Amino acid sequence: MLRGDLSVAAILALLPQQAWAAMELDGAAMRWPYALPFAGLLLSIALGPLLFAKFWHHHYGKIAAAWSLLALGSLVWLAGGMATLAALVHAMLAEYLGFIVLLFSLYVVAGGILITGDIRGTPAANAGILALGTLMASVVGTTGAAMILIRPLIRANRPRRRNAHVVIFFIILVANVGGALSPLGDPPLFVGFLHGVDFFWTTRNIWLQTTIVAGLLLAIFVVIDVWRFRSEPLQEDAGPAKPLRIRGLVNLVLIAAIVASLLASAMWKPGIAFDILGTRLELEDIARNVALLAIAALSVWLTPDEHRQANGFTWEPIREVAKLFAGIFVAIIPVIAMLDAGHHGAFAWLLSAVTAPDGTPREVAYFWFTGVMSAFLDNAPTYLLFFELAGGDPQVLMHALSGTLASISMGAVYMGALTYIGNAPNFMVASIARENGVEMPSFFGYLLRAGAVLIPLFLLLTVLPVAPLLHWH
């Protein structure tokens, strides 16, 4: 047995890296059944907590792993073990690793910031927290803003009998829409930045649309929260309110260090890369991940334990995100391959839907298809998929096709709020809320509530004379 393992290892070591690079999956040879493991994983995430909550809570990692193995098994049967291994390495190292390391570092650092004092969950206070988080999201990221503010918001609204709607709007505004104005705000825009889109491009081009969407969402929230607040029983006066204080300020410096690490990795191009089974790992990406992990370690070391204890900080939300999104990034491999096949793949209809007969892109179609797919496929890989589908040239997309790039950007960021899995902070916020006793809706319950609020706004955004989707440029 040992001799056989050594023989395989020797063969892999001697295999030229060019051979690994050539072992790309043939998406044109796949048909819709190859997407079933991914669909099964999504249904498990949607129905598991609803139908068998206790079993799901204890075994969600194993369930995600089972669907992932089924997806990999189908690829081995189609393309062989070598090509499947190369695809798995690419998904984990080139896509998942940077994604989860950034989320982990932001989760740890933001969890060390403790906001104390008495905040009463009135409509005015809630709207103020949502507005502050929306503004913060493009500066410290949707994950950073969400992790800093979600626990104070939950504590403020704990006395209220019905408070799930506050968290739902928090997910929509702080964990999604607010991150639309910079690459630091939301993962898909950072993907665009890494592929050559100017840092302030979204700030200049979609600030008006983001202001309209965020402003209308805040107005809708205030109406709903005032209505709900009036039905709450009167709360007894608990005496003088304790003043607000922010502790763990060193973590604000560490968040700045995270931002600096992201910017440095995008601007520093040493031209050094390591090829692992056909996947190129750039030195700047490796350095960024190491720096982010070091910053997270510094946060744990420098922050007093009682700050995290007072925050109700646990590792379970990030553990759940890490396991489920690892499964998503693996199970989505055949889906991405079929989409990459373009006119020759099972999703050829998608390319036809976003392209006019004369070859020009349909901006409204790009907005809606990018958005709807972002809600169910995670918005970062979906953004990259449509970015490449539109030509992949950042200079062309920023100028001649600026409307197309704006449509892709807004679709990925805004509609990531439609489901718990559209953007990773959504899942973390929902998990933290449940841990703190908030009765969050199920996957489909959240989808219905978020869709009822957001879909009319997106339809309005498509036709609004002030900012019509067809006239960005």
Side-chain angles (χ1 to χ4, degrees), residues 95-104 187 321 325 329 378 380 423-424:
E95 298 170 2
Y96 175 74
L97 181 61
F99 166 85
I100 197 62
V101 166
L102 176 59
L103 288 179
F104 173 79
V321 167
F325 275 86
F329 273 77
D378 186 67
N423 199 15

Side-chain angles (χ1 to χ4, degrees), residues 303-320:
T303 305
D305 291 341
E306 54 266 26
H307 288 184
R308 295 187 194 277
Q309 292 169 2
N311 257 338
F313 179 93
T314 71
W315 296 104
E316 178 57 25
I318 190 65
R319 186 184 299 121
E320 184 175 14

Side-chain angles (χ1 to χ4, degrees), residues 32 35 334-336 338-339 342-352 373:
W32 64 267
V335 177
I336 295 297
M338 286 187 281
L339 288 167
H343 287 297
H344 304 289
F347 295 104
W349 57 270
L350 179 60
L351 184 59
S352 300
M373 292 179 67

Side-chain angles (χ1 to χ4, degrees), residues 12 29 35 64 91 112 143 153 199-200 203 218 222 243 266 297 304 310 330 333 373 384 393 413 418 420 431:
L12 294 179
T143 301
L153 183 70
F199 187 88
F200 291 106
T203 310
L218 278 170
V222 169
V330 173
I333 291 173
M373 292 179 67
L384 182 57
D393 186 330
V413 175
L418 283 171
Y420 285 139
S431 181

Side-chain angles (χ1 to χ4, degrees), residues 197-244:
V197 178
D198 290 346
F199 187 88
F200 291 106
W201 189 90
T202 53
T203 310
R204 294 192 304 267
N205 285 269
I206 63 173
W207 68 268
L208 177 59
Q209 295 77 20
T210 301
T211 301
I212 291 171
V213 172
L216 289 174
L217 283 169
L218 278 170
I220 294 170
F221 168 77
V222 169
V223 171
I224 294 175
D225 201 38
V226 167
W227 170 56
R228 290 283 177 88
F229 188 74
R230 287 178 174 174
S231 66
E232 295 284 337
L234 292 175
Q235 298 177 18
E236 295 182 3
D237 189 359
K242 296 178 181 178
L244 288 178

Side-chain angles (χ1 to χ4, degrees), residues 7 27 31 40 68 113 137 145 169 171 174 209 225 245 253 318 326 349 361 377 412 424 444 468-469:
S7 299
R31 291 296 177 262
S68 300
I113 299 173
F169 273 90
I171 291 174
V174 181
Q209 295 77 20
D225 201 38
R245 290 185 59 189
V253 178
I318 190 65
W349 57 270
L377 304 184
F444 290 114
L469 193 59

Side-chain angles (χ1 to χ4, degrees), residues 118-122 126 151-163 228-229 231-236 238 436-438:
D118 291 333
I119 306 174
R120 188 168 174 237
T122 63
N126 289 336
R151 292 181 178 92
L153 183 70
I154 291 173
R155 287 197 297 268
N157 288 274
R158 186 169 284 131
R160 295 178 59 169
R161 293 180 303 176
R162 294 191 293 179
N163 51 19
R228 290 283 177 88
F229 188 74
S231 66
E232 295 284 337
L234 292 175
Q235 298 177 18
E236 295 182 3
N436 285 271
V438 180

